[in-house]
mmCIF file of all heavy atoms in Angstrom:
data_model
loop_
_atom_site.group_PDB
_atom_site.id
_atom_site.type_symbol
_atom_site.label_atom_id
_atom_site.label_comp_id
_atom_site.label_asym_id
_atom_site.label_seq_id
_atom_site.Cartn_x
_atom_site.Cartn_y
_atom_site.Cartn_z
ATOM 1 N N MET A 11 88.483 103.720 92.194
ATOM 2 C CA MET A 11 89.835 104.277 92.315
ATOM 3 C C MET A 11 90.620 104.100 91.011
ATOM 4 O O MET A 11 91.570 104.838 90.760
ATOM 5 C CB MET A 11 90.569 103.632 93.485
ATOM 6 C CG MET A 11 89.963 103.959 94.845
ATOM 7 S SD MET A 11 90.119 105.694 95.282
ATOM 8 C CE MET A 11 91.867 105.778 95.608
ATOM 9 N N ARG A 16 90.789 110.912 86.022
ATOM 10 C CA ARG A 16 89.690 111.203 85.099
ATOM 11 C C ARG A 16 88.438 111.600 85.871
ATOM 12 O O ARG A 16 87.584 112.305 85.346
ATOM 13 C CB ARG A 16 89.383 109.976 84.246
ATOM 14 C CG ARG A 16 90.570 109.535 83.417
ATOM 15 C CD ARG A 16 90.303 108.247 82.721
ATOM 16 N NE ARG A 16 89.564 108.528 81.498
ATOM 17 C CZ ARG A 16 89.095 107.607 80.688
ATOM 18 N NH1 ARG A 16 89.267 106.339 80.966
ATOM 19 N NH2 ARG A 16 88.438 107.937 79.595
ATOM 20 N N ASP A 18 86.431 113.594 88.420
ATOM 21 C CA ASP A 18 86.342 114.851 89.168
ATOM 22 C C ASP A 18 87.693 115.303 89.726
ATOM 23 O O ASP A 18 87.930 115.264 90.932
ATOM 24 C CB ASP A 18 85.327 114.700 90.302
ATOM 25 C CG ASP A 18 84.831 116.040 90.807
ATOM 26 O OD1 ASP A 18 85.389 117.088 90.405
ATOM 27 O OD2 ASP A 18 83.897 116.043 91.618
ATOM 28 N N THR A 26 96.829 109.473 88.449
ATOM 29 C CA THR A 26 96.164 108.222 88.080
ATOM 30 C C THR A 26 96.475 107.153 89.122
ATOM 31 O O THR A 26 97.388 107.309 89.943
ATOM 32 C CB THR A 26 96.657 107.719 86.708
ATOM 33 O OG1 THR A 26 98.035 107.353 86.828
ATOM 34 C CG2 THR A 26 96.464 108.778 85.624
ATOM 35 N N ILE A 27 95.745 106.041 89.073
ATOM 36 C CA ILE A 27 96.002 104.949 90.008
ATOM 37 C C ILE A 27 97.408 104.396 89.797
ATOM 38 O O ILE A 27 98.099 104.063 90.766
ATOM 39 C CB ILE A 27 94.918 103.837 89.927
ATOM 40 C CG1 ILE A 27 95.082 102.823 91.076
ATOM 41 C CG2 ILE A 27 94.944 103.138 88.593
ATOM 42 C CD1 ILE A 27 94.729 103.333 92.440
ATOM 43 N N GLU A 29 100.065 106.049 88.743
ATOM 44 C CA GLU A 29 100.998 107.017 89.327
ATOM 45 C C GLU A 29 100.964 106.952 90.855
ATOM 46 O O GLU A 29 102.008 107.003 91.512
ATOM 47 C CB GLU A 29 100.661 108.429 88.848
ATOM 48 C CG GLU A 29 100.919 108.644 87.377
ATOM 49 C CD GLU A 29 100.286 109.925 86.833
ATOM 50 O OE1 GLU A 29 99.321 110.456 87.434
ATOM 51 O OE2 GLU A 29 100.761 110.377 85.777
ATOM 52 N N ARG A 33 104.085 105.944 93.384
ATOM 53 C CA ARG A 33 104.539 106.746 94.530
ATOM 54 C C ARG A 33 104.532 105.930 95.815
ATOM 55 O O ARG A 33 105.452 106.008 96.623
ATOM 56 C CB ARG A 33 103.630 107.964 94.716
ATOM 57 C CG ARG A 33 103.803 109.027 93.688
ATOM 58 C CD ARG A 33 102.914 110.219 94.031
ATOM 59 N NE ARG A 33 102.819 111.134 92.924
ATOM 60 C CZ ARG A 33 102.019 112.188 92.910
ATOM 61 N NH1 ARG A 33 101.232 112.431 93.945
ATOM 62 N NH2 ARG A 33 101.993 112.988 91.876
ATOM 63 N N GLU A 36 107.492 103.720 95.883
ATOM 64 C CA GLU A 36 108.701 104.508 96.157
ATOM 65 C C GLU A 36 108.795 104.866 97.634
ATOM 66 O O GLU A 36 109.846 104.728 98.254
ATOM 67 C CB GLU A 36 108.709 105.796 95.318
ATOM 68 C CG GLU A 36 109.000 105.578 93.860
ATOM 69 C CD GLU A 36 108.900 106.866 93.059
ATOM 70 O OE1 GLU A 36 108.989 107.975 93.647
ATOM 71 O OE2 GLU A 36 108.725 106.767 91.828
ATOM 72 N N LEU A 41 111.165 103.825 103.064
ATOM 73 C CA LEU A 41 110.923 103.545 104.480
ATOM 74 C C LEU A 41 111.269 102.102 104.862
ATOM 75 O O LEU A 41 111.048 101.690 105.993
ATOM 76 C CB LEU A 41 109.450 103.824 104.818
ATOM 77 C CG LEU A 41 109.026 105.284 104.729
ATOM 78 C CD1 LEU A 41 107.505 105.407 104.744
ATOM 79 C CD2 LEU A 41 109.643 106.091 105.873
ATOM 80 N N SER A 44 107.909 96.556 102.895
ATOM 81 C CA SER A 44 107.516 95.734 101.752
ATOM 82 C C SER A 44 106.048 96.019 101.476
ATOM 83 O O SER A 44 105.180 95.664 102.276
ATOM 84 C CB SER A 44 107.725 94.254 102.091
ATOM 85 O OG SER A 44 107.223 93.450 101.052
ATOM 86 N N ARG A 48 96.879 96.932 95.601
ATOM 87 C CA ARG A 48 95.828 96.302 94.810
ATOM 88 C C ARG A 48 94.632 97.244 94.721
ATOM 89 O O ARG A 48 94.373 98.008 95.643
ATOM 90 C CB ARG A 48 95.373 94.992 95.446
ATOM 91 C CG ARG A 48 96.438 93.924 95.421
ATOM 92 C CD ARG A 48 95.909 92.652 95.983
ATOM 93 N NE ARG A 48 96.858 91.580 95.729
ATOM 94 C CZ ARG A 48 96.650 90.338 96.065
ATOM 95 N NH1 ARG A 48 95.520 89.980 96.649
ATOM 96 N NH2 ARG A 48 97.549 89.414 95.815
ATOM 97 N N ILE A 60 91.300 90.904 101.917
ATOM 98 C CA ILE A 60 91.386 91.123 103.369
ATOM 99 C C ILE A 60 91.553 89.786 104.078
ATOM 100 O O ILE A 60 92.406 89.641 104.961
ATOM 101 C CB ILE A 60 90.149 91.883 103.885
ATOM 102 C CG1 ILE A 60 90.118 93.306 103.322
ATOM 103 C CG2 ILE A 60 90.133 91.896 105.422
ATOM 104 C CD1 ILE A 60 88.805 94.037 103.541
ATOM 105 N N ASP A 62 92.805 87.023 102.869
ATOM 106 C CA ASP A 62 94.145 86.523 102.560
ATOM 107 C C ASP A 62 95.221 87.225 103.384
ATOM 108 O O ASP A 62 96.251 86.634 103.703
ATOM 109 C CB ASP A 62 94.456 86.697 101.071
ATOM 110 C CG ASP A 62 93.610 85.809 100.168
ATOM 111 O OD1 ASP A 62 92.950 84.867 100.678
ATOM 112 O OD2 ASP A 62 93.599 86.075 98.948
ATOM 113 N N ILE A 71 96.649 99.270 104.703
ATOM 114 C CA ILE A 71 96.197 100.622 104.395
ATOM 115 C C ILE A 71 95.010 100.447 103.459
ATOM 116 O O ILE A 71 95.138 99.791 102.421
ATOM 117 C CB ILE A 71 97.296 101.469 103.738
ATOM 118 C CG1 ILE A 71 98.470 101.648 104.697
ATOM 119 C CG2 ILE A 71 96.735 102.819 103.275
ATOM 120 C CD1 ILE A 71 99.684 102.333 104.075
ATOM 121 N N TYR A 80 79.005 102.310 103.518
ATOM 122 C CA TYR A 80 77.874 101.404 103.695
ATOM 123 C C TYR A 80 78.222 99.908 103.714
ATOM 124 O O TYR A 80 77.364 99.095 104.044
ATOM 125 C CB TYR A 80 76.827 101.630 102.594
ATOM 126 C CG TYR A 80 77.317 101.275 101.208
ATOM 127 C CD1 TYR A 80 77.184 99.971 100.721
ATOM 128 C CD2 TYR A 80 77.918 102.224 100.392
ATOM 129 C CE1 TYR A 80 77.649 99.633 99.459
ATOM 130 C CE2 TYR A 80 78.377 101.889 99.136
ATOM 131 C CZ TYR A 80 78.254 100.598 98.675
ATOM 132 O OH TYR A 80 78.716 100.280 97.423
ATOM 133 N N LEU A 91 91.032 91.072 111.458
ATOM 134 C CA LEU A 91 92.485 91.216 111.323
ATOM 135 C C LEU A 91 93.135 91.668 112.629
ATOM 136 O O LEU A 91 92.698 92.651 113.231
ATOM 137 C CB LEU A 91 92.832 92.213 110.228
ATOM 138 C CG LEU A 91 92.559 91.802 108.801
ATOM 139 C CD1 LEU A 91 92.941 92.916 107.849
ATOM 140 C CD2 LEU A 91 93.309 90.532 108.446
ATOM 141 N N VAL A 93 96.034 93.070 112.884
ATOM 142 C CA VAL A 93 97.126 93.971 112.500
ATOM 143 C C VAL A 93 96.601 95.406 112.435
ATOM 144 O O VAL A 93 95.393 95.622 112.334
ATOM 145 C CB VAL A 93 97.729 93.565 111.134
ATOM 146 C CG1 VAL A 93 98.278 92.137 111.180
ATOM 147 C CG2 VAL A 93 96.716 93.712 110.009
ATOM 148 N N ILE A 96 95.006 101.234 108.601
ATOM 149 C CA ILE A 96 94.995 102.681 108.408
ATOM 150 C C ILE A 96 93.989 102.996 107.310
ATOM 151 O O ILE A 96 94.034 102.415 106.227
ATOM 152 C CB ILE A 96 96.390 103.208 107.992
ATOM 153 C CG1 ILE A 96 97.494 102.672 108.904
ATOM 154 C CG2 ILE A 96 96.384 104.734 107.926
ATOM 155 C CD1 ILE A 96 97.396 103.057 110.343
ATOM 156 N N GLU A 97 93.085 103.926 107.586
ATOM 157 C CA GLU A 97 92.089 104.354 106.593
ATOM 158 C C GLU A 97 92.585 105.629 105.918
ATOM 159 O O GLU A 97 92.988 106.578 106.594
ATOM 160 C CB GLU A 97 90.751 104.613 107.279
ATOM 161 C CG GLU A 97 89.648 105.027 106.343
ATOM 162 C CD GLU A 97 88.322 105.274 107.053
ATOM 163 O OE1 GLU A 97 88.288 105.345 108.300
ATOM 164 O OE2 GLU A 97 87.312 105.406 106.348
ATOM 165 N N GLU A 104 84.740 114.157 105.562
ATOM 166 C CA GLU A 104 83.970 114.789 106.641
ATOM 167 C C GLU A 104 83.472 116.178 106.271
ATOM 168 O O GLU A 104 82.687 116.773 107.002
ATOM 169 C CB GLU A 104 84.796 114.814 107.918
ATOM 170 C CG GLU A 104 85.022 113.406 108.453
ATOM 171 C CD GLU A 104 85.821 113.364 109.733
ATOM 172 O OE1 GLU A 104 86.286 114.418 110.204
ATOM 173 O OE2 GLU A 104 85.990 112.254 110.252
ATOM 174 N N TRP A 109 76.079 111.909 103.312
ATOM 175 C CA TRP A 109 76.191 110.449 103.268
ATOM 176 C C TRP A 109 77.641 109.979 103.237
ATOM 177 O O TRP A 109 77.939 108.869 103.645
ATOM 178 C CB TRP A 109 75.411 109.865 102.093
ATOM 179 C CG TRP A 109 75.920 110.242 100.736
ATOM 180 C CD1 TRP A 109 75.538 111.318 99.986
ATOM 181 C CD2 TRP A 109 76.881 109.536 99.950
ATOM 182 N NE1 TRP A 109 76.221 111.338 98.789
ATOM 183 C CE2 TRP A 109 77.039 110.245 98.744
ATOM 184 C CE3 TRP A 109 77.624 108.370 100.153
ATOM 185 C CZ2 TRP A 109 77.922 109.836 97.743
ATOM 186 C CZ3 TRP A 109 78.488 107.959 99.150
ATOM 187 C CH2 TRP A 109 78.633 108.688 97.967
ATOM 188 N N ARG A 110 78.564 110.828 102.761
ATOM 189 C CA ARG A 110 79.984 110.448 102.716
ATOM 190 C C ARG A 110 80.673 110.609 104.070
ATOM 191 O O ARG A 110 81.775 110.111 104.264
ATOM 192 C CB ARG A 110 80.737 111.296 101.694
ATOM 193 C CG ARG A 110 80.397 111.005 100.268
ATOM 194 C CD ARG A 110 81.349 111.775 99.362
ATOM 195 N NE ARG A 110 80.847 111.878 98.023
ATOM 196 C CZ ARG A 110 81.084 110.990 97.062
ATOM 197 N NH1 ARG A 110 81.823 109.936 97.304
ATOM 198 N NH2 ARG A 110 80.574 111.166 95.862
ATOM 199 N N ASN A 112 79.954 109.412 106.933
ATOM 200 C CA ASN A 112 79.966 108.197 107.742
ATOM 201 C C ASN A 112 80.975 107.203 107.172
ATOM 202 O O ASN A 112 81.005 106.956 105.980
ATOM 203 C CB ASN A 112 78.576 107.554 107.732
ATOM 204 C CG ASN A 112 78.559 106.267 108.510
ATOM 205 O OD1 ASN A 112 78.958 106.231 109.661
ATOM 206 N ND2 ASN A 112 78.113 105.198 107.883
ATOM 207 N N SER A 113 81.801 106.638 108.042
ATOM 208 C CA SER A 113 82.698 105.555 107.652
ATOM 209 C C SER A 113 82.376 104.355 108.525
ATOM 210 O O SER A 113 82.548 104.419 109.749
ATOM 211 C CB SER A 113 84.160 105.953 107.834
ATOM 212 O OG SER A 113 84.996 104.817 107.709
ATOM 213 N N GLN A 126 94.155 114.495 102.432
ATOM 214 C CA GLN A 126 95.566 114.810 102.200
ATOM 215 C C GLN A 126 95.993 114.502 100.768
ATOM 216 O O GLN A 126 97.171 114.575 100.452
ATOM 217 C CB GLN A 126 96.447 114.013 103.170
ATOM 218 C CG GLN A 126 96.153 114.245 104.629
ATOM 219 C CD GLN A 126 96.496 115.651 105.067
ATOM 220 O OE1 GLN A 126 97.527 116.201 104.675
ATOM 221 N NE2 GLN A 126 95.633 116.260 105.855
ATOM 222 N N ARG A 139 105.650 102.870 109.860
ATOM 223 C CA ARG A 139 107.098 102.723 110.098
ATOM 224 C C ARG A 139 107.450 103.178 111.509
ATOM 225 O O ARG A 139 108.214 102.522 112.229
ATOM 226 C CB ARG A 139 107.877 103.509 109.054
ATOM 227 C CG ARG A 139 109.353 103.493 109.243
ATOM 228 C CD ARG A 139 109.910 102.123 108.942
ATOM 229 N NE ARG A 139 111.360 102.192 109.047
ATOM 230 C CZ ARG A 139 112.113 101.163 109.345
ATOM 231 N NH1 ARG A 139 111.580 99.977 109.521
ATOM 232 N NH2 ARG A 139 113.401 101.297 109.424
#
Side-chain angles (χ1 to χ4, degrees):
M11 294 294 288
R16 300 173 83 184
D18 200 351
T26 67
I27 189 71
E29 292 166 338
R33 287 184 193 174
E36 287 176 21
L41 293 166
S44 174
R48 293 183 170 182
I60 294 168
D62 292 347
I71 297 173
Y80 65 88
L91 290 179
V93 301
I96 311 298
E97 181 180 12
E104 293 181 356
W109 65 269
R110 290 188 198 271
N112 178 53
S113 168
Q126 302 293 319
R139 177 70 176 153

